[in-house]
Amino acid sequence: MPQRNTFSWTVMISGSTENGFLSDGIKYFSKMQENGMLPDKFTYSAIIQLCIGIECIDCGKSVHAQIVKRGFASQTFVSTSLLNMYAKLGQIEDSCRVFNNMEEHSEVSWAALISGLTANNLYYEAFSSFLTMRKEGVAPNTFTVTSVLKAIGMLGDVDKGKQVHKYVSESGMLSNVHVGTALIDMYSKCGSLHDAKSVFNNFIDSGLNIPWNAMISGYSLSKCNEEALRLYVEMCQNNIKSDIYTYCSVFNTISDLRYLWFGKQVHGLIVKSGCHVTVLSVINAIADAYSKCGSIEDVRKIFDRMEDRDIVSWTTLVNAYSQCSEWRESLAIFLQMREQGFAPNQFTYPVVLASCANLCFLEYGQQVHGLLHKSGFDTDSCVESALIDMYCKCGSIIEAGYIFDGVSNPDVVSWTAMIWGHAQHGSCAYALELFRKMEEMDIEANAVTLLCVLFACSHGGMVEEGLHYFESMEGTYGIVPEMEHYACIVDLLGRVGRLDDALEFIKSMPVKPNEMVWQSLLGACRIYGDVELGNVAAEKILAILPDCSSTYVLLSNTYMEAGNPKGGISLRNMMKERGVKKEPGCSWISVKDRVHKFYARDEGHPQKDDIYVQLEVLSKGIKDMGYVPCLRYALQA
């Protein structure tokens, strides 16, 4: 251009910012001033947007200083851009300071303030600003309303939401699809699905997918998963186009329901349409759904076909193998992930630590702990709980205690992990003491916490305490007992020989007992040699799981305990006739990151000769010390 003015320079700065050429925008701003051109209010607005793009608060403050020096700070347009910049760069106090120093507040400046407060998690302040805005006679626009509704949703305060809803109705905004969608989202997050559905019904015929997405997400968030899928089907029947937000919500719902068949159908629709098939967030959601449904083969196929992968993709794969008890493979993938340059995050580490815990890989777990410390994730609450659990399961309860004592504000997960660890290590009385301390800290117990407490009572022989906590579950803790809790009470009574009481407890259950409950009773029958009741429990189990080998073994051992070896032998023969095979028990150790597995009569280990020589030495040693082997259940060998 032969002649350039302020407008042409501003256009170049704005164009560079909008098209992602941020460094070029900075150069244009510098050259403009070098050529003697002074920025106007539009230029300053453009360069402020550039500072947001490069996420440079220092550059923003320099521009702010120039604005003040040249007298543009009094202009509402420029000040609104400044307060927006400070809010988006996380400097909310500076944003509020700019707003308070403004001579007048426009509709746009109020919108920028409320949006900034919401984005910086100051939800109550956002709502208060909305009320002040209205008192000052400034009418909120749709952008302001959607921002304040988001803040109210995060507060979970439905009464505040209804206040805004009333204003929306009076101002004629209710037909606006973006405002309607924000209302649906707000009511869903406040737990008022009836109100959300009432608003949604006004937009069923809009032809747009955003209200549908919000309603599906609301059902999913409230764990009304069947309703979420029904609405998705209705959405498809109404020819409403699905997008990435639809699919992510639907696959999250499928994950919760473990509906593999439905997931495959939706996956097929995505492939058939050709849309979103390469969108990483959608692919990750599909992989996660397959993982939660236990279809590790499908997860692997999706992962291997990915053109691009991120840390979510890798974490999903690591988690898939861990959930399917393929813990060694999970750790191998974790290693591969790091070798390819992907840094684990706070979601990856708990999965890896869980694999270490299940393999009892203390040494590997300690190495992961070291990585955590270097990466700074060791103070994340989920990671801390995973560390406590890992050390407990690997037998290092003292180290678990060190981690727990270092947690600044332990949550229910951390307390539960510590209670469980002490119960597992036989410190049952101390486990209950920890639970009482947790209650003193006003931390609410969840279903898992109470299961750990019942486990501690059962293994510590504290019958009355266990019954007290069970009977208090609904009244005191507001938790409906699940099948695991019932099984734990049966075990509690069975361990002390109260088999009749255990049976009466089962009969009084408000839900039909599953195999877990009957197995607890059968285990107690084996200890006390109660063949008659053992047969009752075994029949119930085999009616549910006809090929359950442990049932035959336990009942066989019950006969042996009662002094009836013929009955025990008869059951073993029945197992053979029915083709039921007992999975051999195994133990393992980790030496220099290599796992060594050992089975009864194992002839496959490369060092078997040395192992059996050493085993003979150990057997002789303990017998010389007075050990007498128990041959009561010799048939199971």
Side-chain angles (χ1 to χ4, degrees), residues 513-530:
N514 67 1
E515 72 281 359
M516 186 194 315
V517 175
W518 291 111
Q519 281 172 338
S520 296
L521 181 61
L522 179 56
C525 292
R526 194 271 301 170
I527 295 171
Y528 291 97
D530 191 327

Side-chain angles (χ1 to χ4, degrees), residues 182-486:
L183 280 168
I184 295 167
D185 182 66
M186 178 274 295
Y187 279 126
S188 297
K189 286 177 179 171
C190 291
S192 184
L193 288 178
H194 176 76
D195 289 312
K197 189 66 163 60
S198 179
V199 175
F200 170 75
N201 288 337
N202 296 321
F203 296 95
I204 288 178
D205 298 323
S206 67
L208 299 173
N209 65 8
I210 55 173
W212 291 85
N213 287 348
M215 197 67 238
I216 291 170
S217 176
Y219 279 131
S220 181
L221 183 71
S222 300
K223 300 303 177 186
C224 297
N225 295 312
E226 296 283 358
E227 287 295 326
L229 294 188
R230 268 196 287 270
L231 193 62
Y232 170 68
V233 171
E234 187 180 338
M235 179 181 178
C236 295
Q237 290 170 344
N238 280 271
N239 296 318
I240 306 295
K241 189 176 181 180
S242 300
D243 60 16
I244 59 174
Y245 302 104
T246 319
Y247 290 128
C248 287
S249 291
V250 168
F251 278 106
N252 284 338
T253 303
I254 291 166
S255 297
D256 286 342
L257 290 171
R258 308 293 194 265
Y259 277 7
L260 179 62
W261 59 273
F262 199 97
K264 286 182 177 289
Q265 288 183 28
V266 180
H267 188 186
L269 286 175
I270 295 172
V271 173
K272 188 177 179 180
S273 69
C275 301
H276 312 298
V277 76
T278 58
V279 177
L280 194 54
S281 59
V282 174
I283 300 171
N284 286 338
I286 296 170
D288 182 63
Y290 283 139
S291 171
K292 299 279 175 57
C293 292
S295 183
I296 198 167
E297 299 84 3
D298 288 310
V299 181
R300 186 83 231 193
K301 284 178 186 176
I302 290 172
F303 183 84
D304 290 340
R305 291 170 184 169
M306 282 182 174
E307 295 177 7
D308 297 302
R309 296 164 183 157
D310 60 7
I311 186 59
V312 178
S313 314
W314 281 99
T315 301
T316 300
L317 187 65
V318 172
N319 189 46
Y321 278 94
S322 182
Q323 286 185 330
C324 291
S325 303
E326 298 286 346
W327 302 304
R328 292 177 64 191
E329 185 63 24
S330 177
L331 295 181
I333 294 166
F334 172 69
L335 182 61
Q336 185 184 354
M337 179 190 87
R338 292 188 63 228
E339 287 173 347
Q340 293 197 19
F342 288 89
N345 61 19
Q346 70 271 32
F347 303 106
T348 318
Y349 281 117
V351 178
V352 174
L353 289 168
S355 294
C356 293
N358 285 301
L359 289 168
C360 296
F361 276 14
L362 177 60
E363 188 177 331
Y364 198 104
Q366 289 170 329
Q367 292 175 25
V368 175
H369 190 179
L371 287 174
L372 276 167
H373 187 69
K374 288 180 182 177
S375 63
F377 287 120
D378 56 338
T379 56
D380 179 87
S381 59
C382 290
V383 171
E384 287 172 330
S385 300
L387 276 169
I388 294 167
D389 184 64
M390 183 273 293
Y391 279 118
C392 286
K393 288 180 178 175
C394 290
S396 187
I397 193 71
I398 295 174
E399 189 67 28
Y402 289 149
I403 302 294
F404 181 77
D405 292 340
V407 178
S408 54
N409 291 301
D411 59 10
V412 65
V413 181
S414 299
W415 280 98
T416 300
M418 207 64 212
I419 292 166
W420 177 248
H422 278 284
Q424 279 187 315
H425 284 76
S427 306
C428 299
Y430 186 67
L432 292 191
E433 185 181 330
L434 279 175
F435 178 65
R436 286 189 284 269
K437 285 182 181 178
M438 185 189 98
E439 290 189 296
E440 289 170 6
M441 300 288 289
D442 291 328
I443 294 171
E444 291 186 11
N446 58 26
V448 179
T449 315
L450 286 167
L451 182 62
C452 295
V453 169
L454 294 178
F455 177 88
C457 292
S458 173
H459 285 252
M462 295 175 280
V463 178
E464 296 308 317
E465 291 92 333
L467 292 173
H468 164 73
Y469 283 120
F470 178 82
E471 290 164 1
S472 303
M473 282 185 67
E474 290 192 65
T476 304
Y477 302 102
I479 297 168
V480 178
E482 297 174 14
M483 203 61 73
E484 291 84 357
H485 299 99
Y486 289 110

Side-chain angles (χ1 to χ4, degrees), residues 132-170:
T132 305
M133 175 186 185
R134 292 195 61 206
K135 284 179 184 177
E136 292 189 5
V138 182
N141 59 20
T142 56
F143 181 74
T144 311
V145 169
T146 55
S147 294
V148 77
L149 286 171
K150 181 179 179 181
I152 293 167
M154 298 307 293
L155 286 171
D157 192 331
V158 72
D159 292 330
K160 288 182 173 61
K162 286 183 181 293
Q163 288 183 53
V164 179
H165 191 172
K166 182 181 178 183
Y167 168 77
V168 166
S169 299
E170 292 172 349

Side-chain angles (χ1 to χ4, degrees), residues 14 40 66 289 318 452 542 564 615:
S14 297
D40 61 12
Q66 191 179 128
V318 172
C452 295
L542 294 175
N564 185 355
L615 185 62

